[in-house]
Amino acid sequence: MLALVRSVWDEPRPPHVPSRVWRDWALVGVLAPFGVVEGVLRPDLPWRAVALTMTLGLMPTLLWRRTRPLLMVAIGFGGTGLVPLALGGGTPETYTMAFLLLLPYALFRWGSGRETVIGLAIIVAKILVWVVSGGLDLGDLIGGFAVLFSVIALGAAFRFRARARMREVDQIKLLEREQLARDLHDTVAHHVSAMAIRAQAGLATSVSRPDAATDALRVIEAEASRALAEMRTMVRALRRDQPADLAPGRSIADLEQLASRARSGPSVEVEVHGDLGDLPPSVGAAIYRLAQESITNARRHARHATRIEVRVTADDTSVRLRVRDDGDPGPVRATVTPGYGLIGMTERAGLLGGTCEAGPDPGRGWTVTAVLPRTGSVA
């Protein structure tokens, strides 16, 4: 119980508390004439001038009920509790003063934990003052508490609903960051690996073949331009002050761009078979990224590899990707711990209801196999 009280007391205020808006001024402007009419025409109103002054004087509390909820509750309920005592009896309150119920709602909707505890104590104290002064009988007391706690429950419900919504939004943002992290890794790793390989090849052959350095620089420039273009697209999507690029992402049609006939390093051959025209964009993008990451890993880790084969086949229910290289099996490659690349590939396939496996071949080489459902959803 003590832990519960402490957690309520330490509850912070919700973020992004709205300040005064035009609707608040409009509400005060609408209530003021009703208060004046009631104060003038209501025949059974005690202390008419005091009641009218108190009604109009407390209406501005509605303007600061979100930003200063505890202070407004103290003014509203403290004032209505002390005035009857100062007058020696009677309850100079109008029906229009029902607007004070918006104050406890705002307190539990926008106040901190300690503000709600202190504010609730002020409200209960005001009700007890009414009871002691004879302004409330048992029926009115029960009805008043019922209305009060209904308003409090409504404010707390909207508070926790907004918090749940914020958690949902944060979860969506986290998933988007994970997706962007996978895309960023795939893009940067692929292009940087290509640039590193070309640079090494240019350095190795620069003495015997001076033109090799020029060719390597051309490839490095092209790969760097592609990497920068894709990174700008992702960064633009992350920045709030710039519109996202609505151009379509990678797809099966872009697989041919991964093919290469390199003078140094393994060449990449791409084969596509089957009807792939009506694939969902998510499946097409996943196939491309899986193939791209597999090629990057092969260029990094396949020793003495001369060829990388990319084969995509499709039937009525699934799309199958196989990426195989002919590099040496090597003990380092066989025992390597799965890095972010392999983990991202497995996660990407799993999100679409598919599988992704990677491992050495019986003779030599390494094969990555991914199978995705054609619909792009978990069955």
Side-chain angles (χ1 to χ4, degrees):
M1 184 64 182
L2 184 60
L4 177 61
V5 174
R6 186 181 294 111
S7 65
V8 172
W9 181 264
D10 295 335
E11 175 76 15
R13 297 194 70 186
H16 312 302
V17 177
S19 57
R20 293 183 300 278
V21 295
W22 68 267
R23 290 188 296 273
D24 298 329
W25 295 98
L27 179 61
V28 173
V30 170
L31 289 174
F34 281 98
V36 172
V37 171
E38 182 183 2
V40 173
L41 300 181
R42 182 178 167 187
D44 61 336
L45 182 63
W47 301 94
R48 187 179 306 276
V50 175
L52 180 58
T53 301
M54 189 167 58
T55 300
L56 297 178
L58 292 178
M59 283 185 184
T61 58
L62 298 177
L63 302 176
W64 288 274
R65 69 185 187 274
R66 301 187 190 91
T67 56
R68 298 289 187 272
L70 177 58
L71 179 59
M72 296 305 105
V73 166
I75 293 174
F77 286 84
T80 56
L82 295 176
V83 168
L85 294 180
L87 296 176
T91 307
E93 291 193 3
T94 62
Y95 298 135
T96 310
M97 291 181 66
F99 68 80
L100 290 176
L101 289 173
L102 293 175
L103 301 183
Y105 169 85
L107 177 67
F108 279 80
R109 174 64 181 88
W110 302 109
S112 65
R114 63 189 62 194
E115 286 176 334
T116 58
V117 172
I118 297 173
L120 182 61
I122 294 173
I123 296 172
V124 173
K126 185 254 187 179
I127 295 175
L128 293 179
V129 168
W130 269 10
V131 173
V132 172
S133 63
L136 286 178
D137 55 22
L138 180 60
D140 292 336
L141 180 62
I142 296 175
F145 269 112
V147 173
L148 174 63
F149 284 107
S150 296
V151 171
I152 289 175
L154 185 63
F158 275 98
R159 180 192 187 105
F160 289 109
R161 179 176 178 269
R163 180 181 297 176
R165 176 60 179 167
M166 289 181 59
R167 285 198 297 266
E168 181 181 353
V169 172
D170 290 340
Q171 181 66 23
I172 293 173
K173 289 181 179 179
L174 179 61
L175 294 175
E176 290 177 350
R177 290 190 184 100
E178 292 177 353
Q179 178 70 25
L180 286 171
R182 283 192 292 267
D183 287 343
L184 187 61
H185 175 273
D186 295 345
T187 300
V188 173
H190 176 78
H191 294 300
V192 172
S193 295
M195 288 187 285
I197 292 172
R198 296 294 184 177
Q200 293 170 358
L203 290 173
T205 58
S206 59
V207 177
S208 58
R209 295 180 55 251
D211 60 330
T214 303
D215 294 338
L217 288 174
R218 290 195 184 99
V219 174
I220 290 173
E221 179 187 12
E223 293 290 344
S225 299
R226 295 191 191 101
L228 286 174
E230 295 193 23
M231 288 180 65
R232 287 195 186 102
T233 300
M234 285 181 283
V235 171
R236 190 181 297 113
L238 288 173
R239 296 188 61 177
R240 295 183 178 180
D241 57 343
Q242 294 188 10
D245 189 356
L246 300 181
R250 295 295 189 176
S251 65
I252 291 290
D254 298 313
L255 282 174
E256 296 295 336
Q257 299 178 10
L258 299 177
S260 65
R261 297 286 182 179
R263 295 181 180 178
S264 61
S267 62
V268 180
E269 299 179 0
V270 178
E271 296 181 10
V272 179
H273 302 279
D275 183 13
L276 301 171
D278 59 346
L279 283 182
S282 58
V283 177
I287 291 294
Y288 176 87
R289 293 302 185 190
L290 291 173
Q292 184 185 51
E293 178 65 16
S294 300
I295 294 171
T296 299
N297 289 340
R299 284 174 169 170
R300 283 178 176 176
H301 304 297
R303 298 186 305 169
H304 307 126
T306 61
R307 182 181 180 186
I308 302 174
E309 298 177 354
V310 179
R311 182 180 178 88
V312 178
T313 57
D315 55 29
D316 295 336
T317 60
S318 62
V319 181
R320 183 182 181 89
L321 167 70
R322 190 190 70 178
V323 181
R324 183 184 181 279
D325 64 74
D326 59 353
D328 292 338
V332 176
R333 189 176 185 185
T335 59
V336 66
T337 302
Y340 291 117
L342 291 177
I343 293 174
M345 293 166 64
T346 303
E347 290 178 349
R348 187 186 296 274
L351 288 174
L352 296 175
T355 60
C356 181
E357 298 177 352
D361 294 334
R364 57 179 291 160
W366 186 276
T367 299
V368 176
T369 303
V371 181
L372 304 181
R374 194 179 183 92
T375 57
S377 60
V378 181

